[in-house]
Structure formats: C-alpha cells, structure tokens
Amino acid sequence: MFEPQILCFLCKWCTSSAADAAGTSRLHHAPNNINMRVMCSSRVDPQHILYAFKEGADGVFLGGCHPGDCHYVEGNYKTLRRITLFKAMLQDLGIDPKRLRLEWISAAEGKKYAVTMDEFTEQIRALGPLHLNEKALVQEVVKDE
Amino acid sequence: MTAKAKTKEKRIGLFVCHCGVNIASVVDVEKVARVLKDYPGVTFSADYVYMCSDPGQQMIIDTIKEKHLDGIIVAACSPTLHEKTFQEAARLAGLNPYQIEIANIREQDSWVHTDKEKATKKAVKIVKSHVAKARLNENLEPIKVDVTRRALVIGGGVSGLQAALDIADHGYEVIVVEKNPSIGGKMIQLSETFPTLDCSQCILTPKMVEVSRHPRIKLLTYHEVDAISGFVGNFKVRIKKKPRYVDETLCNLCGECEKVCPQIAPDEFNEGLSFRKAIYMPFPQAIPGTYTLDAEHCLGLNPVRCGKCKDVCDKKAIDYDMKETIVEEEVGAVVVATGYDLYTMQALGEYGGEKYDDVVNGLEFERILSASGPTGGEVRRPSDGKVPKSIVFVQCSGSRDTEKHLPYCSKICCMYTAKHAMMYRHKVPDGQATVFYIDVRTGGKSFDEFYMRTVEEDKVLYIRGKVSKVFKEGDKLIVWGVDTLTGKKVEIEADMVVLAMAMVKADGVQDLLKKLKIATDIHGFLAEAHPKLRPVESLNAGFYLAGCAHGPKDIPETVAQASAAAAKVGGLFAQKELIHEPTTVPVNDELCSGCAICVTMCPYTARSMDPDRGVVAVNEILCEGCGACAAACPSGAAQQRNTTDDQIFSMLRAMLRE
C-alpha cells in the first residue's frame, strides 16, 4: 500500500497544541505526517509549501487558529488569503490543489487534529504519489544546491 | 550555500529521552541515537531514561562542557513542557539558550502511534529536521530597553482617577489628561449609586481631591492628547492645552464674572436640563477650582463687544488672548480610560426622546434625582416642573436589539433602573413606577437583594415586555407596550418616561484611538489582548485599559479594572529594563527594496518605511515574532531570527529527502 509523506506546518499556539493534546489523550492516527512547528500559520511562505512538494511531500497540511482567535490578531486571515491564491497557482503548476489543506484547529481540538490527520492521509493516499522529486527539472535544481 | 560551507561546522549534541516507557515503548530510542550519530553536524549522540531528571540534566551540562558543544537537540516531550528546563541547563553549561532545539517525539509521535517501525522512522525524521535547524541557529541575546517610569492616564473619570492614584501610590509619576474643564467624569453626575445608595459626589470628590493633591500626579484638565509616538517604555506624547481664557492659578472663585456674563448655554453637568453662563464652573466641587470661559458661547472674547467679566475680575485672571499650546511629555505606559456615552435618543424615535421634554435618558434622570441637580433633588418633570405621579422606565433602550440597534447588553441599566424607580418611590410616595424589561440581570454583589427590595418593599411594577411607542395626549405621555407573560397589550398613562439608553463608545474617541493605534472591537470599545487572560492590556504593548472605554461596566468593576491596569503598569515599571524575545524579524538593508509590503503585514506597527534610506526600519521591541512579514517579503530581506527561510528549507530537506 502506498504510504504518502505528509508535511504539516502547525502554528505554535493552536494546531501544534492540538497535536500535543491528541498525544496526551492518546488519540492514535496515521503516522504519515511530520510536523514543523511555526510561530504562526502566516509565517509559511508559499515557497515553503512548493519546496516541500519538490522535496518529496505528497501532501502539505497547514494548521492555524480559528478566525478571530489568532495569537497575532490576524495572521490566520493572511494565511487564508495566501493559500486561496496559492491553490489556484498549484493547479497551473500541475499539482492537484487537494494536496494542500488548510484547517483551523484550536488547542482544545485534539480529536479534530487526529481525525483530520487520518482523513488527509487517506485523501493523499487516494491521489497517489506526487513524484515531484523524481522529475528531471527538480533533480537539476536540487543538484545546484 | 558555498559561503555557509566555509563557516566552521557546528558541534551538535543529541540527547534522546526514553521518558520511562512513554517514548521507548513505541520509538526505538537507541536506534534514533545510533542513526543520528553520523548525521552531518552531530558530534555526540546518546539516549537516557529521563532527560528532564537531575542526572539527565547533569548529563547534558557535562556533555556540553566536555565535548565543547555549540548546539543541542533534546528529543523528548513537547517543547511546551521542558524547553525552559533544557534552556536553563544549557545556560548553566555556558551555552546560549537559543541553541537548544526540542524534538517532540512523545506527544506528536510515540503517544499517537502504535507501529514501532513507523514511529521510529518518524522520530528519526523529526530529529533530523531539528539538527538541520540547529546547524544554522545563532546565539541570540534578549533585547533590552530602558523604561521611562512615568505613566499617562487618558481620562479623568473614576477609572482614570483610580488608575492614577494606584500608580502614584506605587511610587511612580502620573500625568492625567482630561478633555473637560474638571475631572470627575460621568460618575460625578450620578445621584446615588447602587446597591448601597451612597451619594456619588460624596464618594468621588474625596478621590478627586486626593488626585489633585498627590505629589506624584500632574493633572492636565482641559487638555487633549494630540499625538503619541514611540513604543512601550518609551512614549513621547504631545498634549494640546486648550485655552481656558482664565488663569487657574489666579482665579479665586469669587464668581463675579459669572454674575455679569450676559450669555447663557446649556449646562453640560446637568445634561442640558438647566443653563449656565458662558464663563462657568462646571459644578461647585470641580477640580481644578477655576472658572472656564467657553469661547463658543462668549460674545467674542473681545473687550469692545462685551468684556464685562474681564472688567469685574479683581485678580486679573481673565485673558482673552490665551492661545492653544502644546505640552510634550515622556512616559513609559498609557492607561486609556476614555469612558462612554449614551446611545442617542434620536435613534429611538418611536419613544419620543427627541420630541418630548418629559422623555429623558438615564443620565438626565440622575440629574433630576441629584441634590445638586437642576431641581435640587426634587423629582420634577422638565416640561412644566410638575411632580410626576407616574413614571415609566424602559430598560434595554437600544441594547440587546440585534436587528435595529446594538446587540450587546449594557450591563448597568437593570440596576440603575431599579435604583431610579426606588429613589422615585422614596421621593414621591404616591407615585407609580412601572418598569418594562426583557430580563432583569442582577449579577453582582448584593445586586439581586437590591432589586428584590425595589419590587417587594417599594412596590415598583415590573412588566416583562418591550415598549412599542410613546406619544403625547394632552399633558400625558401614553406608553404602548406588551406584557409577554400574559400575552396582552398594555397601555400606560405616564407623566414622564425614562429610557435606560445603551452605553456606547465615547463620542469622538475614534480619532484619539487612531492616534494611539490601539485596537477596538466592532462596537468601538477598546479590545483587550486576551478576553480571559489579559483583560486589562491592549494588544499594543504599553497600553492598558480601564473602565467603560473597554465596554459597559458598573463602578466597582471599573475601579477594579483601573486598579488592575495600575498594577500592570507597576509591574512594567518595576523592571530594571524591558526584556523582549529576540526571535524577531529584522531587515537586511542590502536586500530590502523598500516595497513596504511587510509594513502592511505587521499587526504591531513594528515596521515602518524609513524615507531617508528607502528601506524598512524595524522596532524590534514591538515585534512579536509571528513571521507574517517574513513570509510576505518578496526579496528575502525579512528573515526571522533562528527561523530563517534557509532554516525552514533545510528542515524540509531533512524531513522529506530519504
């Protein structure tokens, strides 16, 4: 069975805390995700997401605080605007926008986090591997670095 | 990348924690330590049963010293638990605390997975990503700035006065700015206060005197804040001194000027229910004790046209040539206590507030009840001075009306209406008091007992329902309403109607708040930094909130909030210097194109365009390190300290490249 690689950017205040809460409550979920904790979802530049796809992520997840609850007032709104635009670009780049998911998960929603991880893993599994890291052009770029 | 390769490779130590069996039962911790041993940058790698225990921490301290480590990763529980613990251990070993990385392999790995092989593989990836980041971490020092130990309080009502007194009693200087000629705010206009019926003036005037005599409080009445610049601990304030045309140091309150003044104007203190002269004292206990000449109603500040007041003033206190001047002050913190106003009766046309003299709002009725009011405390109606034999009180006038007016509860109206009705019944024993209400909300110490007294002892009639219309018939006001408990229409003949108007943001306060750059909620009340945990602070560092500027509240709550704000200011001033997290987002001048996109991203006004250099300047003491600007910067000039784009890219490589 195809095991997708999922890269998650989680905001420190809400979604990463939700991931911790899922742990504290032992809410088991698919192990395909690897989390990167950022201060705010708005720290995530679309370039980071693109880079994650290029490096072999089959899906990218972005988690922030619910609208109105952002620790930095309005970072999540900035994220929402960026991601909405960026999804349109992903389509043009030949990457299914469904491979990128943005969710608001509060620190109290450990259950939602665990369920979302399972759901997203299944969704990406159904889409199949992206294989972006094996494509010729990308190999070139990687070599340069 | 080549430049980086030349720099000396870091010596990174990895410490993998078993957490008893919490991690070790699912993640093969020995394997994680073993696999990482040869990973680029890693000099030392080990596992231990409890990293956070004393021997565990000692192991970290000893290893840092022995192996000359300049970065460490602790693969253990969530950083929210022990990041500080390990930072402290590192500091004891002489390592910069910002060189510590916590790899979360418990909450986000061992506790949520059961497949040992997959969980171990995941742990390896998580740890690798932190090694990648640690290789590029820099030593950081907390940002330190000096504090000006002096506070500005905007507003001289009960909240501002309480805050000022408390700050001054903490031992710090305070400047109180009040736009009106006297301090006292709205509270000084009230008659009695619920639920104890103390006379408002009796309890507030001593406080006003205390403020005016306090050696550490500077009182600036008839002044307005014009501009503010700087940041927490270091504000510069421009304050506009409005011309009073009377030298307050010379005026001896003889009152001769008032007697000769030919011009009259509505008396603000009495809510326009009586008149004052153009040269006036707002009320007898006003502080500072001085007359003020109201230029708007004066015949023209011109001895040729009138000049009567100037002629009779023995003290030569009157000066028609006074001009607006600017005062500049430096302060470290600002308490915003700008108060409230009442929702305009015009908005409720169906209740006739603007049409009929005998339909008054709550504050006007306070003046009618007050011993210092236009009727000397006798209840008489404004139109003809008759004693009203029937008064209808309408609660929630404008409040709790999501469709037409304001959705929120104004909180104090239930209590003051009960007080109004009770006071009226005490003063006019044969009068009928009727209250229309939606709910009676009496949450507060001794509040419900007070309300029950109004109903049971003072026989005030409470009708649950709203009023649809108030209109005049002869010299009576007819009130149409509905009793929702019986489902019947109600018609009441009244001599007076008192509308418990909703509380709204203070008139004209938006301009001031714009200057202060502090956030408000959708109703224009000040927004707190956190609704539960930081209720007296603004999101903008150095600003504190007190009183009804933040939302409707009663006097005890206002005073409590003012004292809390003062305590916060005291806490700020007690620090030797302000310490701020250094994980901010500076600007690389060489790369910055001056597009200023990052300026628009910052919710803290930490970034601004430097017009001279054509690049963005950052005030790092205001930067909270969210990184929204870093993500928006198109040239890579904005890089967050220890979370640079290079670090994020390296982490992604480490996580994803097999």
Side-chain angles (χ1 to χ4, degrees):
Chain A
M1 189 167 58
F2 165 57
E3 288 298 345
Q5 279 216 89
I6 292 167
L7 194 281
C8 304
F9 295 99
L10 309 181
C11 98
K12 169 180 168 168
W13 306 96
C14 288
T15 314
S16 185
S17 292
D20 283 353
T24 314
S25 319
R26 311 298 197 278
L27 301 171
H28 295 158
H29 59 75
N32 299 58
N33 65 308
I34 323 161
N35 298 345
M36 186 191 292
R37 191 174 79 150
V38 286
M39 293 303 275
C40 178
S41 62
S42 69
R43 172 65 188 95
V44 179
D45 187 330
Q47 285 189 74
H48 301 149
I49 299 168
L50 215 47
Y51 196 83
F53 282 128
K54 190 188 86 177
E55 288 296 325
D58 301 296
V60 174
F61 178 86
L62 191 49
C65 309
H66 282 275
D69 286 348
C70 176
H71 186 80
Y72 302 104
V73 200
E74 53 197 20
N76 47 3
Y77 294 109
K78 288 165 191 159
T79 304
L80 180 63
R81 292 205 293 264
R82 276 182 198 144
I83 297 306
T84 308
L85 270 176
F86 183 58
K87 279 195 171 184
M89 277 177 68
L90 278 183
Q91 185 87 55
D92 294 343
L93 292 167
I95 300 171
D96 191 329
K98 285 207 264 313
R99 290 184 186 274
L100 172 60
R101 179 155 170 185
L102 171 64
E103 283 284 348
W104 312 132
I105 303 179
S106 84
E109 294 175 317
K111 176 95 186 161
K112 181 176 176 186
Y113 169 81
V115 168
T116 308
M117 284 303 128
D118 276 336
E119 260 179 36
F120 193 51
T121 305
E122 282 319 306
Q123 191 183 339
I124 300 300
R125 205 194 302 277
L127 286 171
L130 182 61
H131 288 313
L132 210 59
N133 55 343
E134 288 160 24
K135 287 176 187 158
L137 181 69
V138 176
Q139 291 290 336
E140 280 301 305
V141 178
V142 170
K143 236 181 272 163
D144 286 349
E145 282 167 7
Chain B
M1 295 305 274
T2 46
K4 285 235 165 56
K6 278 179 202 153
T7 59
K8 202 168 136 255
E9 181 57 80
K10 264 190 158 165
R11 298 173 62 82
I12 291 167
L14 168 65
F15 302 88
V16 188
C17 182
H18 296 216
C19 194
V21 292
N22 279 302
I23 297 171
S25 66
V26 181
V27 171
D28 182 345
V29 282
E30 284 100 359
K31 188 178 171 188
V32 174
R34 206 167 53 240
V35 171
L36 266 293
K37 215 166 199 109
D38 301 322
Y39 197 67
V42 177
T43 311
F44 173 87
S45 173
D47 58 276
Y48 185 71
V49 63
Y50 284 113
M51 239 35 261
C52 60
S53 66
D54 270 354
Q57 290 191 51
Q58 198 55 48
M59 172 184 171
I60 294 177
I61 294 170
D62 294 343
T63 317
I64 292 172
K65 288 180 182 166
E66 264 169 43
K67 306 275 178 189
H68 306 289
L69 300 179
D70 46 16
I72 63 164
I73 321 291
V74 183
C77 52
S78 166
T80 52
L81 278 111
H82 281 307
E83 189 170 34
K84 286 268 182 293
T85 314
F86 295 121
Q87 281 183 338
E88 188 54 25
R91 208 184 50 78
L92 288 173
L95 183 62
N96 186 291
Y98 294 91
Q99 297 286 1
I100 314 307
E101 286 291 321
I102 308 292
N104 183 347
I105 58 166
R106 192 178 76 172
E107 281 83 349
Q108 300 190 9
D109 191 5
S110 75
W111 275 359
V112 285
H113 305 310
T114 44
D115 184 319
K116 288 185 185 178
E117 197 189 319
K118 283 177 178 166
T120 306
K121 214 172 137 191
K122 182 167 171 175
V124 167
K125 286 180 181 175
I126 295 171
V127 175
K128 277 182 178 174
S129 77
H130 285 279
V131 175
K133 177 169 185 281
R135 290 174 78 189
L136 299 171
N137 273 348
E138 288 173 15
N139 285 351
L140 298 179
E141 292 303 328
I143 302 165
K144 295 175 181 171
V145 281
D146 289 336
V147 192
T148 307
R149 287 176 186 78
R150 205 154 182 250
L152 170 71
V153 174
I154 307 175
V158 63
S159 53
L161 298 182
Q162 184 65 43
L165 278 174
D166 282 5
I167 297 168
D169 286 343
H170 284 157
Y172 307 110
E173 285 180 36
V174 185
I175 301 160
V176 177
V177 174
E178 167 58 53
K179 67 174 179 178
N180 290 321
S182 169
I183 53 173
K186 290 270 194 292
M187 182 178 162
I188 199 69
Q189 292 179 273
L190 307 181
S191 57
E192 276 74 18
T193 53
F194 61 79
T196 47
L197 299 183
D198 317 71
C199 133
S200 184
Q201 298 205 348
C202 310
I203 54 177
L204 188 60
T205 37
K207 229 181 239 304
M208 290 162 61
V209 173
E210 207 184 331
V211 166
S212 70
R213 294 208 179 133
H214 203 294
R216 282 186 290 276
I217 298 179
K218 185 168 165 187
L219 201 50
L220 301 178
T221 52
Y222 222 42
H223 282 62
E224 279 182 42
V225 172
D226 183 48
I228 194 160
S229 60
F231 51 92
V232 56
N234 299 275
F235 293 109
K236 278 197 173 59
V237 198
R238 266 168 64 96
I239 303 162
K240 200 162 65 183
K241 181 180 198 291
K242 299 190 276 188
R244 210 187 270 274
Y245 304 108
V246 178
D247 185 337
E248 60 213 67
T249 59
L250 294 177
C251 176
N252 65 354
L253 302 178
C254 69
E256 293 301 320
C257 53
E258 190 178 7
K259 286 182 202 155
V260 297
C261 179
Q263 285 296 96
I264 57 164
D267 186 344
E268 294 88 350
F269 181 65
N270 280 333
E271 290 292 308
L273 293 171
S274 66
F275 292 95
R276 59 159 172 85
K277 292 292 182 65
I279 190 160
Y280 70 111
M281 260 293 262
F283 48 96
Q285 305 89 337
I287 285 178
T290 176
Y291 275 83
T292 300
L293 177 53
D294 160 13
E296 201 191 321
H297 292 96
C298 175
L299 277 176
L301 299 169
N302 185 341
V304 180
R305 296 190 63 181
C306 177
K308 287 199 172 81
C309 55
K310 198 171 179 170
D311 292 343
V312 297
C313 185
D314 281 345
K315 287 282 183 181
K316 306 274 172 249
I318 297 170
D319 175 6
Y320 295 146
D321 297 324
M322 262 189 202
K323 291 273 172 311
E324 189 178 287
T325 50
I326 296 288
V327 191
E328 291 202 343
E329 297 282 358
E330 285 182 12
V331 297
V334 182
V335 177
V336 188
T338 45
Y340 69 99
D341 268 306
L342 289 184
Y343 193 47
T344 159
M345 289 201 289
Q346 256 163 349
L348 283 160
E350 64 272 30
Y351 292 174
E354 292 296 305
K355 249 186 292 176
Y356 312 127
D357 288 344
D358 296 331
V359 178
V360 298
N361 66 29
L363 209 46
E364 289 168 349
F365 198 65
E366 290 287 340
R367 296 312 304 147
I368 291 171
L369 287 173
S370 172
S372 67
T375 55
E378 277 182 56
V379 182
R380 289 184 179 278
R381 62 183 202 176
S383 63
D384 52 11
K386 273 192 202 155
V387 176
K389 294 292 175 193
S390 165
I391 300 186
V392 169
F393 296 87
V394 185
Q395 290 192 177
C396 297
S397 292
S399 305
R400 302 180 65 198
D401 187 335
T402 43
E403 278 174 21
K404 283 177 71 187
H405 303 287
L406 304 158
Y408 56 85
C409 166
S410 293
K411 204 169 184 179
I412 62 164
C413 325
C414 287
M415 286 305 292
Y416 80 62
T417 299
K419 177 195 74 181
H420 282 169
M422 181 192 275
M423 298 304 299
Y424 165 63
R425 291 274 297 137
H426 289 180
K427 293 187 180 209
V428 186
D430 61 338
Q432 174 64 53
T434 312
V435 177
F436 280 91
Y437 70 101
I438 304 179
D439 300 293
V440 177
R441 296 179 167 180
T442 54
K445 200 175 170 182
S446 311
F447 283 11
D448 206 60
E449 296 92 314
F450 182 85
Y451 158 63
M452 289 317 290
R453 242 169 75 203
T454 311
V455 178
E456 289 170 359
E457 288 175 28
D458 295 302
K459 308 277 185 268
V460 172
L461 176 64
Y462 271 73
I463 298 175
R464 203 193 82 171
K466 292 203 84 167
V467 167
S468 62
K469 195 174 178 176
V470 177
F471 58 96
K472 211 163 176 172
E473 234 176 60
D475 75 337
K476 293 279 183 192
L477 290 163
I478 309 297
V479 179
W480 276 359
V482 62
D483 180 344
T484 52
L485 293 179
T486 60
K488 290 199 174 110
K489 268 173 70 180
V490 184
E491 184 179 313
I492 296 175
E493 223 173 65
D495 296 313
M496 243 183 115
V497 172
V498 180
L499 304 178
M501 298 305 299
M503 289 167 99
V504 294
K505 65 173 192 303
D507 200 20
V509 81
Q510 304 94 305
D511 288 344
L512 172 68
L513 298 182
K514 215 175 269 171
K515 283 174 196 162
L516 302 180
K517 296 193 188 105
I518 64 173
T520 57
D521 63 19
I522 49 167
H523 305 298
F525 291 117
L526 300 175
E528 62 276 37
H530 189 283
K532 285 108 196 165
L533 303 176
R534 294 172 69 194
V536 301
E537 295 159 75
S538 163
L539 198 69
N540 301 52
F543 289 93
Y544 302 88
L545 330 171
C548 293
H550 164 248
K553 49 179 72 71
D554 58 29
I555 296 168
E557 222 182 312
T558 294
V559 171
Q561 194 187 22
S563 287
K568 282 280 169 194
V569 172
L572 177 78
F573 288 176
Q575 294 175 54
K576 213 166 82 210
E577 49 200 350
L578 297 184
I579 311 272
H580 192 71
E581 275 294 314
T583 44
T584 53
V585 186
V587 166
N588 180 338
D589 289 354
E590 313 249 304
L591 294 177
C592 178
S593 67
C595 71
I597 288 173
C598 64
V599 175
T600 64
M601 282 291 132
C602 183
Y604 304 101
T605 63
R607 310 178 83 81
S608 59
M609 202 48 205
D610 181 340
D612 297 331
R613 296 186 302 136
V615 293
V616 165
V618 181
N619 185 339
E620 293 193 33
I621 197 82
L622 292 182
C623 173
E624 292 286 328
C626 64
C629 53
C633 177
S635 57
Q639 292 294 337
Q640 183 162 24
R641 293 207 162 94
N642 282 1
T643 316
T644 60
D645 283 337
D646 273 351
Q647 283 177 300
I648 292 179
F649 289 135
S650 313
M651 287 177 86
L652 291 171
R653 277 199 297 278
M655 284 170 162
L656 296 164
R657 229 184 257 183
E658 301 272 348

